[in-house]
Amino acid sequence: MRVPVDGGDLAVEIHDGDTPPVLAIHGVSGSRKLWNWLAAHHFSLIAPDLRGRGDSHEVPGSSIRQHADDMVRVLDALDLQSVTVCGMSMGAYAAVDLAVRHPDRVRALVLVDGGFPMPAHAQMTEEVLSAAFAPQVAARERTWTVDEYVAVQAMVNPVIDPADPLVRDYFAHDLTPDGHLRLPADTLVADATDVIFGTSRWRELTMPTWFIHAEWSTGPDSPPAYTADQAQAFRAELPVLREPVLINEVDHGGTVMTRAGAVVTAEVLAEALK
């Protein structure tokens, strides 16, 4: 379905399942296809392509606050007053902003490897950020076949399985029919800047919250985005936060984009829906 927001229409995919509805918010360079792994577990999902991504790629302007406001429009369009919200990576930060500014719309919150301050961000500068995203920006200057794009992503993301049809579907959704990447570089950098240099209001959360984090960040044995000690420190400060859940032998993307990671994330989401 298409949902009117400031500047255009968001594409929103509805997965019919066996649960109450879950608003699922993807990450900075992702799309609604991220949630296909959870849809396979029979959840009822509301999965938007955020502005600047997928079939919403022509909607201009981007920030964590804007994404949260867009999610209110999505819930209004579906006549839903309050839902469980699941956000991954940047989507977790948007979920926190939504929950803090519109607490009546969020009955429970599941944050997947995001939403809390990442220690690595404290070392980040704008110059380092630009360098980190330079390969992704450069990739937008060429055309790709789906096979080429999936092969490159499998090298960058060694935990994912390129033979998984859901992986192929996910990355194919990044491309226009003529083989260009649909995520504008300025949108990617703007949202990353907002996540890294902005302030998460996680201490203001008031609804039951679950936090899932990965053993690695980008591939086997890489330092995690969050250590177990850091996750416990968040819990000590936030009374509504349940016991953090560590997913072993997956990285950041693998929390959802692998069968093993999706099983654990699905179990936590099912608990949040009770």
Side-chain angles (χ1 to χ4, degrees):
M1 63 181 290
R2 309 292 300 194
V3 174
V5 296
D6 293 342
D9 293 336
L10 288 192
V12 181
E13 186 170 5
I14 307 298
H15 296 272
D16 292 326
D18 304 327
T19 69
V22 176
L23 176 62
I25 310 175
H26 65 73
V28 67
S29 59
S31 73
R32 70 177 193 261
K33 296 294 185 178
L34 173 73
W35 303 109
N36 286 353
W37 284 266
L38 283 188
H41 289 264
H42 309 293
F43 290 101
S44 299
L45 301 178
I46 305 158
D49 275 332
L50 298 182
R51 58 176 60 225
R53 282 90 170 164
D55 291 325
S56 307
H57 72 281
E58 294 183 346
V59 184
S62 207
S63 68
I64 298 302
R65 187 181 184 91
Q66 183 66 70
H67 293 313
D69 288 343
D70 290 345
M71 297 305 97
V72 173
R73 297 283 189 91
V74 170
L75 295 178
D76 287 346
L78 292 168
D79 198 26
L80 291 169
Q81 175 56 40
S82 180
V83 298
T84 294
V85 178
C86 180
M88 188 268 179
S89 192
M90 181 199 74
Y93 293 91
V96 168
D97 190 75
L98 171 65
V100 169
R101 292 195 295 115
H102 303 278
D104 58 319
R105 312 307 298 267
V106 180
R107 61 170 299 278
L109 199 58
V110 177
L111 306 176
V112 184
D113 230 26
F116 295 100
M118 289 188 186
H121 290 172
Q123 313 302 319
M124 190 69 70
T125 65
E126 292 188 10
E127 292 75 16
V128 173
L129 176 65
S130 295
F133 279 97
Q136 290 171 286
V137 172
R140 282 148 181 77
E141 304 301 320
R142 58 160 289 181
T143 58
W144 300 85
T145 67
V146 174
D147 287 341
E148 289 171 339
Y149 190 54
V150 170
V152 167
Q153 292 300 328
M155 288 189 291
V156 175
N157 302 280
V159 173
I160 65 171
D161 177 9
D164 183 346
L166 295 184
V167 167
R168 183 179 179 85
D169 185 51
Y170 174 84
F171 288 115
H173 193 61
D174 285 350
L175 302 176
T176 63
D178 61 357
H180 286 93
L181 292 175
R182 297 203 279 186
L183 174 59
D186 57 349
T187 297
L188 176 68
V189 174
D191 277 341
T193 299
D194 207 10
V195 167
I196 292 170
F197 301 113
T199 301
S200 172
R201 297 174 64 182
W202 62 274
R203 290 184 177 88
E204 301 174 54
L205 292 171
T206 56
M207 64 287 300
T209 300
W210 283 258
F211 178 50
I212 302 165
H213 58 115
E215 181 178 4
W216 309 316
S217 54
T218 53
D221 301 320
S222 57
Y226 304 95
T227 66
D229 286 346
Q230 288 156 355
Q232 289 298 329
F234 298 137
R235 185 168 189 247
E237 286 195 56
L238 186 62
V240 296
L241 182 61
R242 303 312 201 246
E243 181 66 27
V245 175
L246 170 66
I247 308 182
N248 291 303
E249 298 186 350
V250 302
D251 63 6
H252 183 68
T255 53
V256 179
M257 294 177 63
T258 63
R259 306 286 173 161
V263 165
V264 179
T265 299
E267 289 173 350
V268 175
L269 182 55
E271 179 67 23
L273 284 164
K274 290 180 181 177

mmCIF file with all atom_site columns, all heavy atoms in Angstrom, residues 113-126:
data_model
loop_
_atom_site.group_PDB
_atom_site.id
_atom_site.type_symbol
_atom_site.label_atom_id
_atom_site.label_alt_id
_atom_site.label_comp_id
_atom_site.label_asym_id
_atom_site.label_entity_id
_atom_site.label_seq_id
_atom_site.pdbx_PDB_ins_code
_atom_site.Cartn_x
_atom_site.Cartn_y
_atom_site.Cartn_z
_atom_site.occupancy
_atom_site.B_iso_or_equiv
_atom_site.pdbx_formal_charge
_atom_site.auth_seq_id
_atom_site.auth_comp_id
_atom_site.auth_asym_id
_atom_site.auth_atom_id
_atom_site.pdbx_PDB_model_num
ATOM 1   N N   . ASP A 1 113 ? 20.069 -4.638 17.850 1.00 0.00 ? 113 ASP A N   1
ATOM 2   C CA  . ASP A 1 113 ? 21.413 -4.092 17.609 1.00 0.00 ? 113 ASP A CA  1
ATOM 3   C C   . ASP A 1 113 ? 21.388 -2.607 17.257 1.00 0.00 ? 113 ASP A C   1
ATOM 4   O O   . ASP A 1 113 ? 22.032 -2.151 16.311 1.00 0.00 ? 113 ASP A O   1
ATOM 5   C CB  . ASP A 1 113 ? 22.121 -4.897 16.516 1.00 0.00 ? 113 ASP A CB  1
ATOM 6   C CG  . ASP A 1 113 ? 23.530 -5.331 16.944 1.00 0.00 ? 113 ASP A CG  1
ATOM 7   O OD1 . ASP A 1 113 ? 23.774 -5.468 18.144 1.00 0.00 ? 113 ASP A OD1 1
ATOM 8   O OD2 . ASP A 1 113 ? 24.388 -5.521 16.060 1.00 0.00 ? 113 ASP A OD2 1
ATOM 9   N N   . GLY A 1 114 ? 20.649 -1.859 18.033 1.00 0.00 ? 114 GLY A N   1
ATOM 10  C CA  . GLY A 1 114 ? 20.566 -0.414 17.824 1.00 0.00 ? 114 GLY A CA  1
ATOM 11  C C   . GLY A 1 114 ? 19.661 0.211  18.864 1.00 0.00 ? 114 GLY A C   1
ATOM 12  O O   . GLY A 1 114 ? 19.076 -0.473 19.710 1.00 0.00 ? 114 GLY A O   1
ATOM 13  N N   . GLY A 1 115 ? 19.533 1.533  18.784 1.00 0.00 ? 115 GLY A N   1
ATOM 14  C CA  . GLY A 1 115 ? 18.652 2.262  19.691 1.00 0.00 ? 115 GLY A CA  1
ATOM 15  C C   . GLY A 1 115 ? 19.343 2.824  20.915 1.00 0.00 ? 115 GLY A C   1
ATOM 16  O O   . GLY A 1 115 ? 18.927 3.838  21.472 1.00 0.00 ? 115 GLY A O   1
ATOM 17  N N   . PHE A 1 116 ? 20.426 2.154  21.356 1.00 0.00 ? 116 PHE A N   1
ATOM 18  C CA  . PHE A 1 116 ? 21.248 2.626  22.462 1.00 0.00 ? 116 PHE A CA  1
ATOM 19  C C   . PHE A 1 116 ? 22.553 3.198  21.917 1.00 0.00 ? 116 PHE A C   1
ATOM 20  O O   . PHE A 1 116 ? 22.963 2.849  20.802 1.00 0.00 ? 116 PHE A O   1
ATOM 21  C CB  . PHE A 1 116 ? 21.555 1.473  23.419 1.00 0.00 ? 116 PHE A CB  1
ATOM 22  C CG  . PHE A 1 116 ? 20.348 0.920  24.120 1.00 0.00 ? 116 PHE A CG  1
ATOM 23  C CD1 . PHE A 1 116 ? 19.733 -0.240 23.675 1.00 0.00 ? 116 PHE A CD1 1
ATOM 24  C CD2 . PHE A 1 116 ? 19.824 1.561  25.231 1.00 0.00 ? 116 PHE A CD2 1
ATOM 25  C CE1 . PHE A 1 116 ? 18.615 -0.765 24.318 1.00 0.00 ? 116 PHE A CE1 1
ATOM 26  C CE2 . PHE A 1 116 ? 18.704 1.056  25.887 1.00 0.00 ? 116 PHE A CE2 1
ATOM 27  C CZ  . PHE A 1 116 ? 18.094 -0.102 25.426 1.00 0.00 ? 116 PHE A CZ  1
ATOM 28  N N   . PRO A 1 117 ? 23.235 4.057  22.678 1.00 0.00 ? 117 PRO A N   1
ATOM 29  C CA  . PRO A 1 117 ? 24.504 4.605  22.200 1.00 0.00 ? 117 PRO A CA  1
ATOM 30  C C   . PRO A 1 117 ? 25.512 3.492  21.920 1.00 0.00 ? 117 PRO A C   1
ATOM 31  O O   . PRO A 1 117 ? 25.717 2.604  22.748 1.00 0.00 ? 117 PRO A O   1
ATOM 32  C CB  . PRO A 1 117 ? 24.970 5.488  23.366 1.00 0.00 ? 117 PRO A CB  1
ATOM 33  C CG  . PRO A 1 117 ? 23.726 5.798  24.137 1.00 0.00 ? 117 PRO A CG  1
ATOM 34  C CD  . PRO A 1 117 ? 22.843 4.596  24.001 1.00 0.00 ? 117 PRO A CD  1
ATOM 35  N N   . MET A 1 118 ? 26.117 3.520  20.732 1.00 0.00 ? 118 MET A N   1
ATOM 36  C CA  . MET A 1 118 ? 27.173 2.571  20.401 1.00 0.00 ? 118 MET A CA  1
ATOM 37  C C   . MET A 1 118 ? 28.519 3.165  20.801 1.00 0.00 ? 118 MET A C   1
ATOM 38  O O   . MET A 1 118 ? 28.850 4.283  20.387 1.00 0.00 ? 118 MET A O   1
ATOM 39  C CB  . MET A 1 118 ? 27.176 2.262  18.904 1.00 0.00 ? 118 MET A CB  1
ATOM 40  C CG  . MET A 1 118 ? 26.024 1.437  18.424 1.00 0.00 ? 118 MET A CG  1
ATOM 41  S SD  . MET A 1 118 ? 26.239 0.941  16.687 1.00 0.00 ? 118 MET A SD  1
ATOM 42  C CE  . MET A 1 118 ? 24.650 0.162  16.370 1.00 0.00 ? 118 MET A CE  1
ATOM 43  N N   . PRO A 1 119 ? 29.298 2.477  21.617 1.00 0.00 ? 119 PRO A N   1
ATOM 44  C CA  . PRO A 1 119 ? 30.585 3.021  22.046 1.00 0.00 ? 119 PRO A CA  1
ATOM 45  C C   . PRO A 1 119 ? 31.483 3.451  20.884 1.00 0.00 ? 119 PRO A C   1
ATOM 46  O O   . PRO A 1 119 ? 32.203 4.445  20.993 1.00 0.00 ? 119 PRO A O   1
ATOM 47  C CB  . PRO A 1 119 ? 31.201 1.855  22.826 1.00 0.00 ? 119 PRO A CB  1
ATOM 48  C CG  . PRO A 1 119 ? 30.024 1.100  23.338 1.00 0.00 ? 119 PRO A CG  1
ATOM 49  C CD  . PRO A 1 119 ? 28.986 1.201  22.257 1.00 0.00 ? 119 PRO A CD  1
ATOM 50  N N   . ALA A 1 120 ? 31.425 2.726  19.766 1.00 0.00 ? 120 ALA A N   1
ATOM 51  C CA  . ALA A 1 120 ? 32.278 3.073  18.628 1.00 0.00 ? 120 ALA A CA  1
ATOM 52  C C   . ALA A 1 120 ? 31.949 4.456  18.074 1.00 0.00 ? 120 ALA A C   1
ATOM 53  O O   . ALA A 1 120 ? 32.808 5.122  17.490 1.00 0.00 ? 120 ALA A O   1
ATOM 54  C CB  . ALA A 1 120 ? 32.143 2.026  17.529 1.00 0.00 ? 120 ALA A CB  1
ATOM 55  N N   . HIS A 1 121 ? 30.710 4.890  18.254 1.00 0.00 ? 121 HIS A N   1
ATOM 56  C CA  . HIS A 1 121 ? 30.320 6.196  17.719 1.00 0.00 ? 121 HIS A CA  1
ATOM 57  C C   . HIS A 1 121 ? 31.049 7.339  18.416 1.00 0.00 ? 121 HIS A C   1
ATOM 58  O O   . HIS A 1 121 ? 31.216 8.415  17.837 1.00 0.00 ? 121 HIS A O   1
ATOM 59  C CB  . HIS A 1 121 ? 28.813 6.384  17.860 1.00 0.00 ? 121 HIS A CB  1
ATOM 60  C CG  . HIS A 1 121 ? 28.012 5.511  16.950 1.00 0.00 ? 121 HIS A CG  1
ATOM 61  N ND1 . HIS A 1 121 ? 26.637 5.397  17.025 1.00 0.00 ? 121 HIS A ND1 1
ATOM 62  C CD2 . HIS A 1 121 ? 28.392 4.685  15.932 1.00 0.00 ? 121 HIS A CD2 1
ATOM 63  C CE1 . HIS A 1 121 ? 26.214 4.560  16.100 1.00 0.00 ? 121 HIS A CE1 1
ATOM 64  N NE2 . HIS A 1 121 ? 27.252 4.108  15.436 1.00 0.00 ? 121 HIS A NE2 1
ATOM 65  N N   . ALA A 1 122 ? 31.467 7.118  19.652 1.00 0.00 ? 122 ALA A N   1
ATOM 66  C CA  . ALA A 1 122 ? 32.167 8.177  20.394 1.00 0.00 ? 122 ALA A CA  1
ATOM 67  C C   . ALA A 1 122 ? 33.495 8.531  19.737 1.00 0.00 ? 122 ALA A C   1
ATOM 68  O O   . ALA A 1 122 ? 34.016 9.636  19.928 1.00 0.00 ? 122 ALA A O   1
ATOM 69  C CB  . ALA A 1 122 ? 32.390 7.745  21.836 1.00 0.00 ? 122 ALA A CB  1
ATOM 70  N N   . GLN A 1 123 ? 34.056 7.605  18.956 1.00 0.00 ? 123 GLN A N   1
ATOM 71  C CA  . GLN A 1 123 ? 35.336 7.843  18.292 1.00 0.00 ? 123 GLN A CA  1
ATOM 72  C C   . GLN A 1 123 ? 35.155 8.391  16.877 1.00 0.00 ? 123 GLN A C   1
ATOM 73  O O   . GLN A 1 123 ? 36.130 8.670  16.186 1.00 0.00 ? 123 GLN A O   1
ATOM 74  C CB  . GLN A 1 123 ? 36.141 6.533  18.210 1.00 0.00 ? 123 GLN A CB  1
ATOM 75  C CG  . GLN A 1 123 ? 36.209 5.747  19.501 1.00 0.00 ? 123 GLN A CG  1
ATOM 76  C CD  . GLN A 1 123 ? 36.800 6.554  20.631 1.00 0.00 ? 123 GLN A CD  1
ATOM 77  O OE1 . GLN A 1 123 ? 37.766 7.288  20.444 1.00 0.00 ? 123 GLN A OE1 1
ATOM 78  N NE2 . GLN A 1 123 ? 36.225 6.416  21.831 1.00 0.00 ? 123 GLN A NE2 1
ATOM 79  N N   . MET A 1 124 ? 33.919 8.549  16.434 1.00 0.00 ? 124 MET A N   1
ATOM 80  C CA  . MET A 1 124 ? 33.638 8.906  15.051 1.00 0.00 ? 124 MET A CA  1
ATOM 81  C C   . MET A 1 124 ? 33.730 10.414 14.843 1.00 0.00 ? 124 MET A C   1
ATOM 82  O O   . MET A 1 124 ? 33.356 11.213 15.699 1.00 0.00 ? 124 MET A O   1
ATOM 83  C CB  . MET A 1 124 ? 32.243 8.417  14.668 1.00 0.00 ? 124 MET A CB  1
ATOM 84  C CG  . MET A 1 124 ? 31.923 8.525  13.190 1.00 0.00 ? 124 MET A CG  1
ATOM 85  S SD  . MET A 1 124 ? 32.864 7.397  12.148 1.00 0.00 ? 124 MET A SD  1
ATOM 86  C CE  . MET A 1 124 ? 32.124 5.818  12.611 1.00 0.00 ? 124 MET A CE  1
ATOM 87  N N   . THR A 1 125 ? 34.269 10.810 13.684 1.00 0.00 ? 125 THR A N   1
ATOM 88  C CA  . THR A 1 125 ? 34.245 12.201 13.240 1.00 0.00 ? 125 THR A CA  1
ATOM 89  C C   . THR A 1 125 ? 33.550 12.235 11.883 1.00 0.00 ? 125 THR A C   1
ATOM 90  O O   . THR A 1 125 ? 33.346 11.196 11.241 1.00 0.00 ? 125 THR A O   1
ATOM 91  C CB  . THR A 1 125 ? 35.659 12.773 13.095 1.00 0.00 ? 125 THR A CB  1
ATOM 92  O OG1 . THR A 1 125 ? 36.348 12.057 12.033 1.00 0.00 ? 125 THR A OG1 1
ATOM 93  C CG2 . THR A 1 125 ? 36.442 12.629 14.389 1.00 0.00 ? 125 THR A CG2 1
ATOM 94  N N   . GLU A 1 126 ? 33.201 13.428 11.418 1.00 0.00 ? 126 GLU A N   1
ATOM 95  C CA  . GLU A 1 126 ? 32.539 13.539 10.118 1.00 0.00 ? 126 GLU A CA  1
ATOM 96  C C   . GLU A 1 126 ? 33.460 13.060 9.004  1.00 0.00 ? 126 GLU A C   1
ATOM 97  O O   . GLU A 1 126 ? 32.998 12.473 8.020  1.00 0.00 ? 126 GLU A O   1
ATOM 98  C CB  . GLU A 1 126 ? 32.089 14.975 9.876  1.00 0.00 ? 126 GLU A CB  1
ATOM 99  C CG  . GLU A 1 126 ? 30.959 15.411 10.810 1.00 0.00 ? 126 GLU A CG  1
ATOM 100 C CD  . GLU A 1 126 ? 30.386 16.768 10.449 1.00 0.00 ? 126 GLU A CD  1
ATOM 101 O OE1 . GLU A 1 126 ? 30.727 17.284 9.356  1.00 0.00 ? 126 GLU A OE1 1
ATOM 102 O OE2 . GLU A 1 126 ? 29.593 17.300 11.240 1.00 0.00 ? 126 GLU A OE2 1
#
